Amino acid sequence: MGNHIAAPALPASTSRNVPAPFDFNKLERCIDDSSCREVERLLYLEARLLDTEQFSEWMEQVLDPAIRYVVISRELRYRKERRYDAPTEMFLFNDDLTFLKARVDQFNSGMQWRTDPPERYRRLVTNVEVFLNGTDDELVVRSNVLAQRSRRAYEVDQFICCREDLVRRCPAGSLRLVQRRIDFDERSIAGRNLLLFL
């Protein structure tokens, strides 16, 4: 008999399941101007809250409790590559509300090394397209984001990505972000770190 101690079984959870990408060629465009403008206002509100480090307000005003926040990077193989069966996607983040809250709490604790001296952020949200999802209370949104982070006189990082969002109308009537899948263009992160919300 060895000294092997069996680890306790973890409860089954689907909170780490990765949302599949949307096939935008099969989705119907939203032509309701008021709905499209409402989605844009949500994305612009989010950019302002994140740029001004109002992360708790971001969680309260933008995120749905069922949020899934995933950041992927792709291995760009030759188009005719047939040697590998492994997926081309690598997951940089795969967070639910609990993980996002832990990241926000770490920032608010004052123990995060990158907050002093503070960083400055600017997020530009462009190419916003809104699609119907087959239900009255959900919309699918595709957008591009350029985020710039500046710190001191010489530390400037830029991050470019494509976002696929699922937004849902909450019982109070406003839209909330339920799912975000971020396609991060860089295979190797050129910036000093990816400690930001895209």
Side-chain angles (χ1 to χ4, degrees):
M1 299 196 94
N3 293 328
H4 175 72
I5 300 174
L10 296 175
S13 173
T14 59
S15 65
R16 305 294 284 168
N17 290 345
V18 176
F22 291 102
D23 186 348
F24 290 95
N25 293 322
K26 296 181 179 179
L27 294 176
E28 181 182 352
R29 287 180 180 274
C30 178
I31 58 174
D32 178 19
D33 285 342
S34 62
S35 296
C36 293
R37 289 295 299 152
E38 188 177 4
V39 168
E40 289 178 347
R41 285 194 297 269
L42 176 69
L43 297 181
Y44 298 156
L45 167 66
E46 177 185 33
R48 176 173 58 82
L49 293 176
L50 292 176
D51 282 353
T52 55
E53 298 181 345
Q54 299 181 68
F55 301 121
S56 298
E57 290 80 358
W58 170 64
M59 296 186 68
E60 294 171 4
Q61 299 178 34
V62 177
L63 303 186
D64 186 272
I67 182 67
R68 294 304 320 285
Y69 176 95
V70 174
V71 182
I72 67 165
S73 177
R74 298 177 186 274
E75 181 181 2
L76 299 179
R77 301 172 186 162
Y78 288 104
R79 296 182 190 274
K80 296 182 179 181
E81 179 63 70
R82 297 290 184 270
R83 292 178 295 173
Y84 305 108
D85 293 329
T88 60
E89 297 178 349
M90 176 182 72
F91 295 91
L92 305 177
F93 290 97
N94 181 9
D95 294 347
D96 58 12
L97 187 66
T98 301
F99 281 83
L100 292 173
K101 186 177 184 305
R103 292 172 64 187
V104 169
D105 288 345
Q106 182 185 35
F107 178 89
N108 290 334
S109 70
M111 300 299 290
Q112 182 65 263
W113 62 268
R114 63 190 176 91
T115 61
D116 194 15
E119 298 173 326
R120 302 294 304 276
Y121 292 94
R122 292 293 178 263
R123 289 170 176 81
L124 305 181
V125 183
T126 67
N127 301 70
V128 179
E129 295 182 277
V130 183
F131 299 83
L132 303 177
N133 195 38
T135 60
D136 292 337
D137 63 340
E138 289 185 349
L139 295 167
V140 176
V141 185
R142 188 181 193 275
S143 63
N144 293 333
V145 174
L146 168 62
Q148 178 170 294
R149 178 177 62 196
S150 304
R151 187 170 184 258
R152 296 181 169 150
Y154 54 87
E155 296 182 19
V156 178
D157 298 320
Q158 287 189 339
F159 307 91
I160 299 175
C161 64
C162 175
R163 302 191 307 198
E164 297 180 7
D165 296 338
L166 177 65
V167 297
R168 181 181 300 154
R169 194 167 301 283
C170 68
S174 58
L175 292 178
R176 290 289 185 269
L177 180 63
V178 178
Q179 175 182 302
R180 171 162 290 164
R181 182 183 172 95
I182 298 169
D183 195 345
F184 187 63
D185 289 345
E186 298 179 26
R187 178 60 178 167
S188 299
I189 299 171
R192 289 163 179 79
N193 56 65
L194 200 59
L195 297 176
L196 79 162
F197 297 108
L198 294 170

